[in-house]
Amino acid sequence: MAARQQPRGTGLEVQYKDFVPKSDWKDQPEAILFTIDLPGFTKEQIKVMYVHASTMIRVTGERPLAGRKWSRFNKVFNVPQNCLANKIHGSFNNNTLTITMPKETITKMPNLPETSKTMADKVEKLEEKRLLEESTRKAKEAEAEKKKKLLEEKEGILRKLQEEAKAKEMAEAKKLQEEAIAKEKAEARRVQEAAIAKEKAEARRLQEEAKAKEMAEARRLQEEVVAKEKAEARRLQEEAKAKEMDEARRLQAEAIAKEKAEARRLQEEAKAKEMAEARRLQEAAMSNEKLLEEAALEKKIQDKKSMDEFVRKEKMKEKLSDSVLEENKTGKGIMEKIRGREITSEEKKLMMNVGVSAFVIFALGAYVSYRPE
């Protein structure tokens, strides 16, 4: 029964899981049976091998599982001494491997017939022959064991000589090695001391260079820090100055704005007052115009009433103009006439209208001159 072999050189790593099958011995009159339960295995996956030197039977097998996993087993057992090795055979049915090992002797039965006696004689002769062969085999085995012991003794002597020679070689080699190691150590010590001295000198030089570099770097950094501090102080001073100027400019602008607002307020108040005064004068002028209209109407009524009154008035005007001229000549003015209440009502109305008109013109001129741009 050949077991299936896993192909090699494929580069795939196979994992084996060891399987321990159940086994059982059955002793029968003519043979001894050894059964092994192998569920899941086939006949082609099982291998049975008889080892003559040790009179043992080895049963092995392996089968694939899921993926790259395989199940395998290895069963070894000794063949009983009373069994015929050349007649051992096996069978595989219903997942069970049965190995049959026939026995060498057959138990004699009493009252055997003649044919059975003849068979018993044959069996006895075969047994004698087997015993002879067994004694011959044992003698050969004893001789082979003796030769083996002699060979082992020779091998022991040779091994002892080899060990002694090897010990001498090792002692000599050890001596040479120790001398070489001593020389190497001395040379290594000298080289190490020279290297240490060189390293110390180099370290001293590097330390001095590093110290000089550090001092130069510290000086440079200090100068940079001082320059930065000066620049920062200058920048802060300029920023403070700029802020002060901005604040002064802002305060000045606010003061100007307040002054302008105050001037605008005062101007608007003056304008409002002027407008109110002009409105009042305009209303007074309008009332005067109504009075003039009423006077004109009254004049028309008076003209209609009497033509003589008109003539009288004309004469009075002429007299008034003559008297004005005379008063100019004599140094008297119209104001004395007014104080003396020598002016007529019509002349009073005329003078009032002229004064109101002059005041209105003056107020309009003042409004135009004070009007904001």
Side-chain angles (χ1 to χ4, degrees):
M1 300 178 187
R4 178 178 176 179
Q5 299 294 327
Q6 174 68 12
R8 297 182 180 180
T10 58
L12 299 176
E13 184 180 356
V14 178
Q15 296 179 358
Y16 286 98
K17 183 179 179 181
D18 292 329
F19 168 65
V20 180
K22 293 181 180 180
S23 59
D24 189 20
W25 290 90
K26 292 181 181 180
D27 190 3
Q28 293 182 355
E30 297 180 355
I32 296 174
L33 304 180
F34 184 72
T35 59
I36 304 173
D37 294 335
L38 299 172
F41 285 84
T42 61
K43 184 178 180 180
E44 290 77 12
Q45 295 171 345
I46 301 170
K47 183 178 180 180
V48 180
M49 182 186 301
Y50 176 71
V51 182
H52 291 275
S54 57
T55 63
M56 297 173 65
I57 292 178
R58 182 187 297 275
V59 182
T60 59
E62 58 183 22
R63 67 184 181 89
L65 299 175
R68 290 194 292 270
K69 294 182 179 180
W70 284 66
S71 176
R72 64 182 180 182
F73 71 93
N74 185 5
K75 191 74 174 178
V76 179
F77 61 92
N78 293 319
V79 177
Q81 293 182 356
N82 61 342
C83 292
L84 298 173
N86 58 350
K87 292 186 179 181
I88 296 174
H89 61 278
S91 62
F92 186 76
N93 292 314
N94 298 326
N95 297 325
T96 301
L97 175 64
T98 302
I99 298 175
T100 304
M101 295 169 283
K103 295 181 179 179
E104 292 181 347
T105 58
I106 300 174
T107 305
K108 294 182 180 180
M109 300 295 295
N111 299 323
L112 291 175
E114 291 297 328
T115 55
S116 299
K117 289 182 179 181
T118 306
M119 182 62 80
D121 293 337
K122 289 181 178 181
V123 169
E124 189 175 354
K125 289 180 180 180
L126 289 172
E127 182 67 18
E128 290 177 356
K129 185 178 179 182
R130 187 188 67 76
L131 292 174
L132 181 61
E133 290 177 353
E134 183 71 18
S135 62
T136 305
R137 183 177 63 78
K138 287 182 178 180
K140 288 180 179 181
E141 288 180 356
E143 186 68 21
E145 186 69 23
K146 187 177 180 181
K147 289 180 179 180
K148 185 177 179 182
K149 287 181 179 180
L150 290 173
L151 185 61
E152 288 178 354
E153 289 177 358
K154 288 181 180 180
E155 288 178 353
I157 294 169
L158 289 173
R159 193 179 299 109
K160 186 177 180 181
L161 293 173
Q162 287 177 356
E163 288 176 355
E164 289 177 355
K166 188 176 180 180
K168 288 181 180 180
E169 289 178 359
M170 288 180 69
E172 187 68 22
K174 186 176 180 181
K175 183 180 178 181
L176 294 173
Q177 187 177 7
E178 288 175 353
E179 291 177 356
I181 288 170
K183 288 181 180 179
E184 288 178 358
K185 283 182 177 180
E187 184 67 19
R189 193 179 298 108
R190 185 184 63 79
V191 172
Q192 187 176 8
E193 289 174 355
I196 289 170
K198 189 176 180 181
E199 287 177 357
K200 284 182 178 179
E202 184 68 18
R204 194 179 300 109
R205 184 183 65 80
L206 293 174
Q207 189 176 6
E208 291 174 356
E209 289 181 356
K211 188 175 181 181
K213 286 182 180 179
E214 287 177 359
M215 290 179 69
E217 184 68 16
R219 194 179 300 110
R220 185 184 65 80
L221 292 174
Q222 188 176 6
E223 290 174 355
E224 288 181 356
V225 169
V226 170
K228 285 182 180 178
E229 288 177 353
K230 287 181 178 180
E232 185 67 17
R234 193 180 300 110
R235 185 183 64 79
L236 293 173
Q237 189 176 4
E238 290 175 356
E239 286 182 357
K241 188 175 179 181
K243 286 181 180 178
E244 288 177 358
M245 290 180 68
D246 291 340
E247 185 67 17
R249 198 178 294 110
R250 185 182 65 79
L251 294 173
Q252 187 178 5
E254 287 180 357
I256 292 169
K258 286 180 179 178
E259 289 176 358
K260 286 183 178 181
E262 185 66 20
R264 193 179 299 109
R265 186 181 65 77
L266 294 173
Q267 190 176 3
E268 289 176 354
E269 288 180 356
K271 183 180 175 181
K273 289 180 180 180
E274 289 174 359
M275 291 289 290
E277 186 66 22
R279 195 177 297 109
R280 187 181 65 77
L281 293 173
Q282 189 176 5
E283 290 175 355
M286 288 176 68
S287 63
N288 290 332
E289 286 179 0
K290 287 182 179 180
L291 292 173
L292 289 174
E293 288 177 358
E294 290 177 357
L297 182 59
E298 187 178 352
K299 186 180 179 182
K300 287 178 182 180
I301 294 170
Q302 288 177 358
D303 290 339
K304 288 180 181 180
K305 286 181 178 180
S306 177
M307 194 67 180
D308 295 335
E309 188 70 22
F310 178 75
V311 174
R312 189 183 63 81
K313 286 182 181 180
E314 287 295 327
K315 288 178 180 181
M316 286 179 68
K317 286 181 182 180
E318 289 176 1
K319 289 178 181 180
L320 181 61
S321 61
D322 292 338
S323 63
V324 169
L325 290 174
E326 288 175 1
E327 287 176 0
N328 287 332
K329 290 178 182 180
T330 57
K332 293 182 179 180
I334 191 74
M335 293 306 294
E336 293 178 356
K337 229 182 211 189
I338 294 170
R339 291 191 194 101
R341 298 183 181 177
E342 295 176 357
I343 192 168
T344 61
S345 61
E346 292 180 0
E347 290 174 346
K348 288 179 180 180
K349 290 180 181 179
L350 181 60
M351 290 178 67
M352 187 180 290
N353 291 332
V354 172
V356 170
S357 299
F359 186 78
V360 170
I361 292 169
F362 175 76
L364 289 172
Y367 170 73
V368 171
S369 62
Y370 284 101
R371 186 177 60 183
E373 297 296 332

